[in-house]
Amino acid sequence: SSQFLGSTEVEQPKGTEVVRDAVRKLKFARHIKKSEGQKTPKVELQISIYGVKILDPKTKEVQHNCQLHRISFCADDKTDKRIFTFICKDSESNKHLCYVFDSEKCAEEITLTIGQAFDLAYRKFLESGGKDVETRKQIAGLQKRIQELETENAELKNKVQDLENQLRRTQVHASPAGSVTPKSPSTDIFDMVPFSPISPQSSTPTRNGTQPPPVPSRSTEIKRDLFGAEPFDPFSCGAGDFPPDIQSKLDEMQEGFKMGLTLEGTVFCLDPLDSRC
């Protein structure tokens, strides 16, 4: 068994000066604790090709498990034969920690034992074609990744289901059963309803013959064309709207239209809304 002085973070993964500073720091901390009446805890070291485990000597509970491939430096103190140290990279914080022990046995023997563990682990690594340690690391990494993907997949499925439910509710709310959405008229590129030559108020189609169609009664409401202007109507033009010579021609045209002016059997109709005349 050994006394565990503790661990402290170091800036470098190796080096005698690095561990010497760590030993000095932890020895000072132990001296302070002893002056306060605290005892240095005893631990048991279990060294194998997989790493160094720090156990409680009575309960055998694992307090620290330092994997061998994370140990970057191991040394015993030449000035104090009881002090033994190693530097290990922490798996969670990725910090380099220096572990310091005060061994009842010769610290040099512990250093040699860890060196043998490294040697055996390296031989096994070569015998397995370099796959043993890497394969275990890859399998552990893949298992963790699979778990993350499964969790992410479950969350995405829930989101998709929520979106489908919202879409259904929106569709039902927008189009209740039995209702018919009125179809809005299509518009052209200027957002205007396209002109239709057939008016819903068109009169009965005129047949070719001698009888002209009756002149439709004009509404008192002023109609406007597509652009908001009043359409031209020769009957509603005042006398002062045109010069005298043009006005006389219009008067003649009016008389001709009233008499049912025909040309080659085709009757001219004055209804501007009826395109079939």
Side-chain angles (χ1 to χ4, degrees), residues 90-101:
D90 185 60
S91 58
E92 294 183 0
S93 64
N94 279 332
K95 295 178 179 178
H96 294 287
L97 302 178
C98 183
Y99 292 79
V100 180
F101 304 88

Side-chain angles (χ1 to χ4, degrees), residues 10 36 41 45 91 93 99 103 157-158 168 180 185 192 214 216:
V10 291
E36 294 175 350
L45 297 178
S91 58
S93 64
Y99 292 79
S103 176
K157 282 184 177 179
N158 291 335
R168 289 195 190 99
V180 179
M192 301 181 67

Side-chain angles (χ1 to χ4, degrees), residues 5 22 38 47 62 64 78 112 119-120 133 135 142-143 145 151 154 170 181 188-189 210 221 238-239 243:
L5 273 66
Q38 297 183 30
I47 302 170
V62 178
H64 300 276
K78 301 305 178 185
L112 292 173
D119 187 48
L120 289 173
V133 176
T135 301
L142 288 173
Q143 287 176 341
R145 183 60 181 154
T151 304
T170 304
T181 304
D188 60 11
I189 59 173
T210 56
E221 180 185 356

Side-chain angles (χ1 to χ4, degrees), residues 76-87:
D76 52 274
D77 193 341
K78 301 305 178 185
T79 60
D80 189 344
K81 298 295 183 181
R82 294 168 58 93
I83 299 297
F84 156 74
T85 68
F86 66 85
I87 298 175

Side-chain angles (χ1 to χ4, degrees), residues 1-5 43-49 51-54 66 68 71 73-78 80-87 99-119:
S1 63
S2 304
Q3 288 184 338
F4 182 37
L5 273 66
V43 294
E44 182 179 314
L45 297 178
Q46 190 179 86
I47 302 170
S48 69
I49 61 171
V52 179
K53 288 183 179 179
I54 304 173
C66 303
L68 202 67
I71 296 177
F73 191 75
C74 178
D76 52 274
D77 193 341
K78 301 305 178 185
D80 189 344
K81 298 295 183 181
R82 294 168 58 93
I83 299 297
F84 156 74
T85 68
F86 66 85
I87 298 175
Y99 292 79
V100 180
F101 304 88
D102 187 341
S103 176
E104 293 178 359
K105 295 182 180 180
C106 182
E108 190 176 357
E109 293 180 10
I110 301 177
T111 307
L112 292 173
T113 305
I114 292 183
Q116 290 172 355
F118 270 104
D119 187 48

Side-chain angles (χ1 to χ4, degrees), residues 48-250:
S48 69
I49 61 171
Y50 300 108
V52 179
K53 288 183 179 179
I54 304 173
L55 310 175
D56 185 289
K58 294 180 179 179
T59 63
K60 305 299 179 183
E61 181 184 354
V62 178
Q63 297 177 351
H64 300 276
N65 184 13
C66 303
Q67 295 173 305
L68 202 67
H69 69 274
R70 290 184 174 273
I71 296 177
S72 56
F73 191 75
C74 178
D76 52 274
D77 193 341
K78 301 305 178 185
T79 60
D80 189 344
K81 298 295 183 181
R82 294 168 58 93
I83 299 297
F84 156 74
T85 68
F86 66 85
I87 298 175
C88 181
K89 191 175 185 180
D90 185 60
S91 58
E92 294 183 0
S93 64
N94 279 332
K95 295 178 179 178
H96 294 287
L97 302 178
C98 183
Y99 292 79
V100 180
F101 304 88
D102 187 341
S103 176
E104 293 178 359
K105 295 182 180 180
C106 182
E108 190 176 357
E109 293 180 10
I110 301 177
T111 307
L112 292 173
T113 305
I114 292 183
Q116 290 172 355
F118 270 104
D119 187 48
L120 289 173
Y122 184 64
R123 286 182 187 179
K124 188 175 181 182
F125 178 77
L126 293 177
E127 289 171 1
S128 64
K131 296 178 182 177
D132 185 42
V133 176
E134 287 300 320
T135 301
R136 280 190 283 122
K137 286 171 64 178
Q138 288 175 4
I139 290 174
L142 288 173
Q143 287 176 341
K144 185 178 179 181
R145 183 60 181 154
I146 288 171
Q147 184 64 38
E148 291 174 353
L149 288 173
E150 287 179 349
T151 304
E152 185 179 345
N153 190 34
E155 292 175 355
L156 288 174
K157 282 184 177 179
N158 291 335
K159 288 181 180 178
V160 169
Q161 188 62 45
D162 291 342
L163 288 172
E164 288 179 351
N165 293 338
Q166 290 178 10
L167 187 60
R168 289 195 190 99
R169 287 196 296 267
T170 304
Q171 289 175 342
V172 170
H173 180 73
S175 302
S179 67
V180 179
T181 304
K183 184 178 179 182
S184 60
S186 59
T187 57
D188 60 11
I189 59 173
F190 300 103
D191 290 331
M192 301 181 67
V193 178
F195 170 73
S196 175
I198 302 175
S199 171
Q201 298 178 350
S202 59
S203 60
T204 306
T206 305
R207 296 169 301 191
N208 292 338
T210 56
Q211 293 295 327
V215 178
S217 59
R218 295 188 304 275
S219 172
T220 57
E221 180 185 356
I222 301 175
K223 296 180 181 179
R224 297 184 180 274
D225 64 5
L226 196 62
F227 300 97
E230 295 181 13
F232 171 72
D233 188 350
F235 295 105
S236 61
C237 293
D241 293 340
F242 300 98
D245 55 337
I246 297 178
Q247 186 61 44
S248 61
K249 296 291 183 182
L250 289 176

